[in-house]
């Protein structure tokens, strides 16, 4: 009888652990972080068309697809003299009623994080830090950048 109870308890512990992991991986915060990871993974590989697809509609208004692809490749690859970069996501937090820029409609719920991109190129090793905010549009998480002037 004790063996059966131990087996049942073991199964419940495993099931609880799996449920916890699934809930964590599908939380809104983790979904938002995954979009940023996808965005910068595409950028890392020079797949700017794919990263552009993950932009919020306001970002797509700022950058037409063709010029965005050309600018990103030109600035990072040509000017910086790099082939790729590494990146990390830091300081993630949930924010409410955030605006991408003055006069823009606020996003009711969003997740803000800082992305650090580290480059090794003809100018040596350097890191750029950028504030990235992710919000939902029609049930899809999308990327925005901060355009507040300091």
């Amino acid at each position: 009888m004790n063996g059966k109870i131990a087996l049942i308890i073991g199964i419940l512990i495993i099931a609880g652990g799996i449920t916890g992991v699934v809930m964590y991986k599908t939380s809104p915060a983790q979904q938002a972080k995954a979009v940023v990871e996808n965005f910068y993974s595409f950028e890392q590989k020079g797949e700017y068309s794919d990263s552009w697809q993950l932009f919020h509609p306001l970002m797509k208004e700022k950058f037409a697809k063709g010029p965005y692809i050309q600018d990103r490749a030109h600035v990072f690859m040509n000017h910086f003299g790099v082939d790729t970069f590494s990146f990390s996501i830091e300081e993630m937090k949930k924010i409410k009623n955030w605006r991408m820029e003055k006069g823009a409609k606020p996003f009711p719920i969003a997740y803000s994080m800082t992305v650090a991109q580290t480059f090794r190129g003809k100018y040596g090793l350097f890191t750029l830090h950028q504030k990235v905010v992710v919000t939902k549009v029609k049930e899809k998480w999308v990327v925005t950048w901060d355009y507040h002037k300091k």
Side-chain angles (χ1 to χ4, degrees):
M1 188 63 125
N2 285 341
K4 288 182 181 180
I5 292 173
L7 178 63
I8 291 171
I9 290 173
I11 290 170
L12 290 174
I13 290 172
I14 290 170
I18 291 170
T19 301
V21 168
V22 168
M23 288 176 67
Y24 174 77
K25 289 284 188 183
T26 60
S27 73
Q30 287 306 309
Q31 291 174 14
K33 184 177 180 181
V35 168
V36 173
E37 288 171 345
N38 288 340
F39 180 90
Y40 284 95
S41 291
F42 288 138
E43 296 265 307
Q44 220 175 22
K45 296 180 271 186
E47 297 172 356
Y48 303 113
S49 176
D50 292 326
S51 59
W52 186 88
Q53 293 296 334
L54 296 175
F55 272 149
H56 186 281
L58 291 174
M59 291 294 294
K60 290 178 178 178
E61 287 177 19
K62 282 191 171 294
F63 301 107
K65 190 175 187 178
Y68 177 79
I69 293 166
Q70 289 176 340
D71 283 352
R72 294 298 274 192
H74 181 73
V75 169
F76 292 110
M77 303 311 173
N78 294 342
H79 282 290
F80 291 169
V82 300
D83 294 326
T84 190
F85 59 89
S86 59
F87 70 92
S88 62
I89 299 171
E90 307 161 354
E91 304 172 13
M92 189 165 110
K93 63 182 178 178
K94 184 177 182 178
I95 54 178
K96 294 181 180 179
N97 295 315
W98 183 81
R99 296 172 194 267
M100 188 172 93
E101 59 191 349
K102 187 177 180 179
K105 183 180 173 187
F107 304 142
I109 300 293
Y111 290 88
S112 172
M113 55 206 88
T114 301
V115 174
Q117 294 173 268
T118 301
F119 299 87
R120 293 182 189 274
K122 66 183 179 184
Y123 300 111
L125 177 66
F126 58 97
T127 304
L128 297 176
H129 297 265
Q130 185 171 29
K131 183 175 180 180
V132 178
V133 178
V134 179
T135 191
K136 265 190 172 178
V137 173
K138 297 180 183 176
E139 300 305 311
K140 180 181 172 190
W141 290 101
V142 290
V143 172
T144 66
W145 291 333
D146 188 347
Y147 283 92
H148 291 113
K149 293 182 170 69
K150 301 247 174 181

